[in-house]
């Protein structure tokens, strides 16, 4: 036997895939199989291929299943396992990892061969071009499979009990009792442990499950239909408050109401919700329509990780209604079936506000990022008129009818409104690309459609230290996983919300749109104006604990009085849990919450929410946690009585800016010749670093993007009136 060399595999043409024909045998026997090449796409004629001097037919795939699993750890040295691959009279071996080995052992039939699609075996992982091409095929591979077989791993940590408990939960006559009876807490713990298995956190599984016509979970020897598991998870989600009470009454789990962590952030729960809400499907499981944009998907699926940073973007392209993946060597996209969003016969889409668009060219010294060969994406940046009466977000389809353009009724204006602009839907899938290229192209794609900068305030990008400050990384997402595998809040929610899932909460930029955007190297050029600077900052609300000094900064002298309007409203971002104006009784509730803290002590919002407190206080503090967690309370320098919330990394002297196209104010840190502006001196020796500059009278100025912020009284366009903003006050910010 010899090791199998993937480089000797025949290249795959358009529509071709490889399948593993797994030979039958008892569970403990050696794994054997063949790799067979099949044509996945429907063909009007029999597809053929030249092999040497012969023309042979490429058969359509047999009935097959697709495997969904995690690669996991490799074997310890000296204990490696393999599968035998038979090629005519030769026998080759392929080393496989532990998790795949156990999966193939368990799934193998004892009496007949079965066909499986397994990424580690059916894709040449050493060939970047083939990987990029075959990644495109995964939509069809999983949607055309008879079923998707999900391998969660070997039996462990009461996994068998958890799967059997799912069946009990589906008896609706007993379900209410199961979430109230203290003895069942052990079974709920077993189920939550199963739901925290690594498979549920993979980003690729979203499409693997969402596209499946049918799916089955496998864990050790136990099996469970996906639909049964999904229904149980949905029931659990709607009873999460009951489960908190159950664990609070359970001595076995130390009477800890938050023992299971934040259930809404569990990958299993997010996956069930996503699989039911990403598409419209026919009765036969075929995709008839995609419902969410790529921006909405990227902003809402932060609970799912990817081992390859490219997959933060690539793993969800096929789920979006407005994106078409391409490979570098293949200029035709894979067919996705009906797409209502594609209005052009050339597979391009028209932006909802395209009648208002006017093409502008890149500046000579600001050419877009390119790669060898064709451009990786169509760069369409636009100059738009001010639109300050918008009643819905620019990206919303409703804005087509609601936007009132600021164009005079002249022949020139009418001609301008009559023009339309086609926006490309293409994104290149290229695993050889630098991760900055992948991220910046995603942002250009978003800017083309939404003309909004809100995506700069949502964590979505892989954690890469070399990315510029204006690409927000997943390290700053609201929830993280503890060492015990449960989800805990680590940051506040983004103030800008999630597109496609919520209404626009704020309109700090007065519904203007991002225009005249430029990108050069790793710099982003945006326009706006400076509102104010940070005059004073407090300690951070780490862990949701509000420092006692916040009441002093907020001007609340004695807790016997009601809190100042600006203080209690700032703590909740002047919105309730549904993004509406908060109820008036929250002023009283705020006083009640702070009166429960130790005298002159900090307010621990987590303990107040988890343990006995009135429901009105709990509701208020739950909203407070969404807004203040890991943020600072700030006072601004020029605006009287101006109070706000800023990221924990904000410092005195940082500028509060309104960027056109961003629904909330942002904190920017100004640098002059590489020195923070607050420390800069005109004759600073640091200026010597830039002796190559042509004009030494104009120092190099740029900004670091610190993050979004809340400024009370400035969240709905008031800044334009306060600053008497006209074009003379506009400036361009170079973000690095």
């Amino acid at each position: 036997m010899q090791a199998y060399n993937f480089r000797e595999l025949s290249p795959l043409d358009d529509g071709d895939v490889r399948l593993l024909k797994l030979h039958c045998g008892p569970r403990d026997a050696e794994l054997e199989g063949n790799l067979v090449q099949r044509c996945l796409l429907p063909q009007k004629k029999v597809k053929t291929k030249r092999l040497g001097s012969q023309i042979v037919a490429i058969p359509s795939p047999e009935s097959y299943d697709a495997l969904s699993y995690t690669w996991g750890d490799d074997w310890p040295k000296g204990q490696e396992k393999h599968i035998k691959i038979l090629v005519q009279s030769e026998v080759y071996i392929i080393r496989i990892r532990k998790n795949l080995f156990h999966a193939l052992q368990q799934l193998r039939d004892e009496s007949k061969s079965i066909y499986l699609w397994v990424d580690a075996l059916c894709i040449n992982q050493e060939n970047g071009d083939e990987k990029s091409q075959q990644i495109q095929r995964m939509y069809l591979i999983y949607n055309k499979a008879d079923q998707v077989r999900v391998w969660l791993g070997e039996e462990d940590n009461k996994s068998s009990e958890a799967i059997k408990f799912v069946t009990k939960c589906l008896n609706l006559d007993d379900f209410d009792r199961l979430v109230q009876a203290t003895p069942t807490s052990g079974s709920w713990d077993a189920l939550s442990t199963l739901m925290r298995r690594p498979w549920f956190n993979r980003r690729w599984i979203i499409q693997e499950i969402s596209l499946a016509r049918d799916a089955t979970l496998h864990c050790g020897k136990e099996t469970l239909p996906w639909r049964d598991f999904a229904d149980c998870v949905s029931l659990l989600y709607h009873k999460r408050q009951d489960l908190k009470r159950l664990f609070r009454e359970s001595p076995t789990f130390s009477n800890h109401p938050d023992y299971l962590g934040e259930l809404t952030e569990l990958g299993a729960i997010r996956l069930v919700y996503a699989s039911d809400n990403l598409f419209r499907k026919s009765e036969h499981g075929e995709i008839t329509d995609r419902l969410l944009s790529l921006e909405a998907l990227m902003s809402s699926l932060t609970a799912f990780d990817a081992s390859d940073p490219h997959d933060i973007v690539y793993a969800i392209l096929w789920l979006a209604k407005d994106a078409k993946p391409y490979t570098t060597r293949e200029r035709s996209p894979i067919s996705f079936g009906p797409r209502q969003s594609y209005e052009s016969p050339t597979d391009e889409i028209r932006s909802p506000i395209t009648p208002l668009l006017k093409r502008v060219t890149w500046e000579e010294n600001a050419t877009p990022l390119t790669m060898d060969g064709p451009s990786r994406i169509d760069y369409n940046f636009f100059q738009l008129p001010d639109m300050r009466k918008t009643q819905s977000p620019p990206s919303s389809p409703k804005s087509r009818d609601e936007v009132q353009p600021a164009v005079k009724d002249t022949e020139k204006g009418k001609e301008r409104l009559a023009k339309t602009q086609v926006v490309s839907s293409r994104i290149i899938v290229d695993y050889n690309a630098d991760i900055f290229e992948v991220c910046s192209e995603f942002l250009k794609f978003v800017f083309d459609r939404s003309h909004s900068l809100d995506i700069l305030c949502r964590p979505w990008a892989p954690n890469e230290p070399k990315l510029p400050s204006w690409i927000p990384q997943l390290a700053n997402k609201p929830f993280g996983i503890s060492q015990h595998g449960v989800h805990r809040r680590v940051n506040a929610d983004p103030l800008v919300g999630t597109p496609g899932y919520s209404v626009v909460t704020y309109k700090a930029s007065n519904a203007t749109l991002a225009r005249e955007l430029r990108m050069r190297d790793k710099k982003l050029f945006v326009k706006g104006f400076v509102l104010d600077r940070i005059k004073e900052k407090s300690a951070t609300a780490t862990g949701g604990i509000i420092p006692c000094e916040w009441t002093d900064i907020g001007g609340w002298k004695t807790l016997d009085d009601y809190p100042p309007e600006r203080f209690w409203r700032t703590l909740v971002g002047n919105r309730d849990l549904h993004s509406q104006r908060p109820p008036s009784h929250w002023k009283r509730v705020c006083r009640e919450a702070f009166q429960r803290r130790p005298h002159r002590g900090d307010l621990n919002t987590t303990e107040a929410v988890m343990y006995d407190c009135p429901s009105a206080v709990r509701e208020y503090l739950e909203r407070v946690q969404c807004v203040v967690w890991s943020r600072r309370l700030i006072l601004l320098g020029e605006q009287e009585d101006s109070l706000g919330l800023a990221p924990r990394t904000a410092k005195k002297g940082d500028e509060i800016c309104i960027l056109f196209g961003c629904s909330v104010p942002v904190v920017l840190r100004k640098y002059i010749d590489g020195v923070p502006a607050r420390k800069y001196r005109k004759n600073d020796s640091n200026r010597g670093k830039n002796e190559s500059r042509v004009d030494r009278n104009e120092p190099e100025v740029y900004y670091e993007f610190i993050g979004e912020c809340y400024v009370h009284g400035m969240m709905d366009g008031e800044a334009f009136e306060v600053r008497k903003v006209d074009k003379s006050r506009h400036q361009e910010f170079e973000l690095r």
Side-chain angles (χ1 to χ4, degrees):
M1 291 188 298
Q2 55 183 309
Y4 195 87
N5 190 345
F6 276 97
R7 286 172 291 186
E8 297 177 1
L9 287 171
S10 300
L12 294 173
D13 289 339
D14 294 351
D16 288 1
V17 296
R18 297 187 191 92
L19 297 176
L20 170 67
K21 182 180 180 181
L22 183 61
H23 295 177
C24 60
R27 187 180 187 278
D28 295 332
E30 279 194 297
L31 296 171
E32 293 184 352
N34 307 95
L35 289 176
V36 296
Q37 193 163 325
R38 296 293 184 261
C39 179
L40 192 62
L41 294 177
Q43 303 291 326
K44 293 181 179 180
K45 298 180 180 179
V46 176
K47 187 170 182 179
T48 61
K49 188 171 187 176
R50 180 177 294 278
L51 292 178
S53 61
Q54 294 182 323
I55 302 294
V56 297
I58 302 296
S60 298
E62 293 83 352
S63 173
Y64 73 96
D65 295 340
L67 180 63
S68 179
Y69 70 109
T70 60
W71 282 36
D73 299 329
D74 207 346
W75 295 92
K77 189 174 182 179
Q79 301 180 27
E80 297 87 351
K81 302 291 184 182
H82 62 267
I83 180 174
K84 291 182 179 179
I85 298 297
L86 309 180
V87 182
Q88 297 178 351
S89 60
E90 298 291 336
V91 179
Y92 299 86
I93 62 170
I94 299 178
R95 280 183 52 188
I96 54 177
R97 295 192 177 209
K98 187 185 303 184
N99 202 36
L100 178 55
F101 177 80
H102 291 313
L104 296 179
Q105 273 194 327
Q106 191 63 50
L107 296 178
R108 176 170 50 185
D109 194 290
E110 293 190 1
S111 59
K112 64 179 181 180
S113 297
I114 62 173
Y115 286 85
L116 289 171
W117 187 85
V118 184
D119 60 352
L121 299 176
C122 298
I123 298 178
N124 183 354
Q125 300 291 335
E126 299 176 1
N127 186 326
D129 289 338
E130 179 175 303
K131 185 177 178 182
S132 297
Q133 180 204 46
Q134 285 293 293
I135 289 298
Q136 274 199 82
R137 302 278 174 260
M138 289 180 68
Y139 161 78
L140 286 173
I141 291 169
Y142 280 91
N143 191 236
K144 286 184 173 293
D146 284 7
Q147 69 171 315
V148 173
R149 294 188 177 271
V150 175
W151 175 251
L152 296 180
E154 289 288 271
E155 180 178 349
D156 192 18
N157 292 325
K158 300 181 180 179
S159 58
S160 295
E161 177 186 347
I163 291 176
K164 293 173 182 176
F165 185 63
V166 168
T167 305
K168 292 182 181 179
C169 291
L170 296 178
N171 185 339
L172 300 183
D173 290 333
D174 293 336
F175 183 73
D176 287 341
R177 178 185 59 81
L178 293 176
V179 296
Q180 295 172 1
T182 303
T184 65
S185 58
S187 297
W188 286 112
D189 177 49
L191 178 57
S192 70
T193 300
L194 181 73
M195 293 165 61
R196 292 197 297 270
R197 289 211 172 196
W199 180 83
F200 290 103
N201 295 322
R202 285 182 57 234
R203 184 160 285 223
W204 277 110
I205 67 168
I206 306 167
Q207 92 163 353
E208 294 167 5
I209 283 295
S210 299
L211 297 171
R213 296 169 184 254
D214 188 24
T216 303
L217 296 181
H218 297 261
C219 187
K221 297 180 180 179
E222 301 291 339
T223 62
L224 183 68
W226 169 258
R227 187 68 263 167
D228 289 354
F229 177 80
D231 288 346
C232 177
V233 167
S234 183
L235 287 167
L236 179 155
Y237 170 77
H238 287 92
K239 289 290 186 179
R240 59 191 184 280
Q241 293 299 332
D242 292 327
L243 288 176
K244 286 187 176 184
R245 286 192 291 270
L246 184 147
F247 276 88
R248 185 168 59 197
E249 297 169 1
S250 174
T252 305
F253 296 96
S254 304
N255 301 101
H256 196 324
D258 200 35
Y259 181 82
L260 299 180
E262 184 55 53
L263 292 176
T264 58
E265 292 301 309
L266 273 178
I269 290 178
R270 290 284 184 131
L271 178 62
V272 168
Y273 180 84
S275 63
D276 287 338
N277 291 277
L278 294 180
F279 309 113
R280 291 191 185 97
K281 293 184 179 180
S282 70
E283 292 296 329
H284 303 292
E286 296 175 341
I287 307 299
T288 60
D289 192 22
R290 286 163 175 72
L291 303 177
L292 294 177
S293 67
L294 183 59
E295 180 184 9
L297 290 168
M298 189 70 77
S299 302
S300 60
L301 298 177
T302 58
F304 300 96
D305 300 323
S307 55
D308 187 328
H310 295 77
D311 288 335
I312 293 294
V313 177
Y314 294 164
I316 62 174
L317 286 180
W318 291 262
L319 307 176
K321 68 179 182 180
D322 57 352
K324 274 209 168 206
Y326 283 69
T327 61
T328 52
R329 73 176 184 87
E330 180 181 41
R331 303 313 301 171
S332 297
I334 197 76
S335 174
F336 287 115
R339 282 178 181 263
Q340 292 183 356
S341 59
Y342 283 19
E343 302 175 6
S344 167
T346 58
D347 290 319
E348 295 177 321
I349 64 171
R350 294 183 183 275
S351 170
I353 52 176
T354 49
L356 305 174
L357 304 181
K358 178 181 179 182
R359 177 76 70 96
V360 295
T361 58
W362 290 88
E363 292 187 5
E364 183 178 353
N365 64 341
T367 55
L369 290 168
T370 59
M371 56 174 288
D372 293 337
S375 174
R376 294 171 52 83
I377 195 169
D378 289 349
Y379 300 94
N380 298 312
F381 282 72
F382 309 102
Q383 183 176 7
L384 295 94
D386 285 344
M387 295 157 56
R388 302 187 181 180
K389 303 298 182 182
T390 311
Q391 299 301 315
S392 63
S395 58
S396 169
K398 295 181 180 180
S399 61
R400 183 196 296 270
D401 299 323
E402 295 176 353
V403 170
Q404 299 296 324
V407 180
K408 293 183 179 180
D409 188 17
T410 63
E411 290 301 319
K412 185 176 180 180
K414 291 177 180 179
E415 180 182 355
R416 179 180 180 184
L417 290 174
K419 293 182 179 180
T420 62
Q421 175 65 54
V422 175
V423 181
S424 173
S425 60
R426 300 187 301 177
I427 288 186
I428 296 296
V429 177
D430 182 6
Y431 281 88
N432 297 318
D434 180 80
I435 193 60
F436 169 73
E437 291 181 82
V438 177
C439 292
S440 61
E441 286 162 8
F442 162 72
L443 286 177
K444 293 169 187 175
F445 183 90
V446 170
F447 295 155
D448 275 356
R449 281 153 180 74
S450 67
H451 308 284
S452 165
L453 297 181
D454 284 356
I455 190 65
L456 303 183
C457 302
R458 302 186 189 104
W460 59 267
N463 297 320
E464 295 286 331
K466 294 183 180 181
L467 290 177
S469 65
W470 46 272
I471 296 183
Q473 301 182 26
L474 285 168
N476 296 315
K477 63 184 180 181
F479 291 88
I481 301 178
S482 72
Q483 61 180 353
H484 302 297
V486 299
H487 288 76
R488 309 284 188 196
R489 182 177 284 280
V490 292
N491 288 300
D493 293 342
L495 294 169
V496 294
T498 302
Y501 287 96
S502 59
V503 299
V504 172
T505 307
Y506 303 108
K507 298 177 184 177
S509 63
N510 215 12
T512 57
L513 300 180
R515 51 184 181 171
E516 301 179 41
L517 296 173
R518 295 186 298 126
M519 202 178 288
R520 181 176 68 238
D521 301 327
K522 290 190 176 183
K523 307 166 188 175
L524 177 66
F525 298 84
V526 297
K527 289 196 172 182
F529 60 90
V530 176
L531 172 64
D532 210 327
R533 289 173 176 78
I534 297 178
K535 175 183 178 181
E536 185 176 349
K537 64 180 179 65
S538 72
T540 305
T542 305
I545 299 175
I546 299 177
C548 63
E549 66 188 74
W550 279 33
T551 54
D552 296 333
I553 295 176
W556 194 3
K557 303 303 181 182
T558 172
L559 297 186
D560 293 332
D561 298 332
Y562 285 110
E565 285 285 313
R566 63 172 185 160
F567 181 75
W568 75 264
R569 290 184 181 274
T570 293
L571 295 189
V572 294
N574 204 21
R575 298 292 189 270
D576 64 10
L577 290 166
H578 306 289
S579 299
Q580 304 298 317
R581 301 280 290 189
S584 60
H585 71 267
W586 273 12
K587 184 174 186 176
R588 179 184 297 273
V589 171
C590 176
R591 182 179 66 172
E592 174 72 16
F594 275 86
Q595 286 177 341
R596 289 171 172 262
R597 69 177 185 175
H599 179 65
R600 297 299 300 167
D602 301 334
L603 173 59
N604 190 324
T605 61
T606 300
E607 289 186 358
V609 167
M610 284 196 304
Y611 296 99
D612 294 328
C613 74
S615 60
V617 174
R618 182 176 65 250
E619 182 185 31
Y620 175 78
L621 291 181
E622 284 176 350
R623 173 58 185 169
V624 169
Q625 290 181 332
C626 295
V627 177
V628 308
W629 203 290
S630 293
R631 287 187 171 132
R632 297 180 182 275
L633 193 69
I634 58 171
L635 284 176
L636 304 190
E638 298 182 18
Q639 304 302 316
E640 186 177 354
D641 294 330
S642 58
L643 196 65
L645 294 165
R648 61 172 170 262
T649 54
K651 298 180 179 179
K652 290 182 180 180
D654 285 347
E655 297 183 350
I656 307 297
C657 301
I658 303 295
L659 301 183
F660 300 141
C662 189
S663 63
V664 298
V666 299
V667 180
L668 301 182
R669 183 166 300 150
K670 185 176 181 179
Y671 286 82
I672 304 176
D673 283 344
V675 179
R678 66 181 184 278
K679 298 180 179 179
Y680 179 78
R681 298 292 182 272
K682 188 172 182 179
N683 297 321
D684 198 303
S685 59
N686 281 282
R687 301 189 72 218
K689 298 177 181 179
N690 294 311
E691 289 299 336
S692 61
R693 293 181 60 83
V694 176
D695 187 355
R696 292 304 305 146
N697 292 323
E698 295 186 9
E700 182 184 40
V701 176
Y702 63 90
Y703 293 82
E704 178 185 356
F705 189 89
I706 304 300
E708 61 180 357
C709 66
Y710 173 87
V711 179
H712 188 62
M714 295 292 161
M715 303 302 290
D716 292 297
E718 299 92 340
F720 286 81
E721 295 298 326
V722 170
R723 281 302 191 185
K724 307 296 181 186
V725 174
D726 55 30
K727 289 187 177 181
S728 66
R729 297 188 64 91
H730 296 182
Q731 70 179 84
E732 185 175 64
F733 299 92
E734 177 186 320
L735 306 182
R736 295 189 183 182

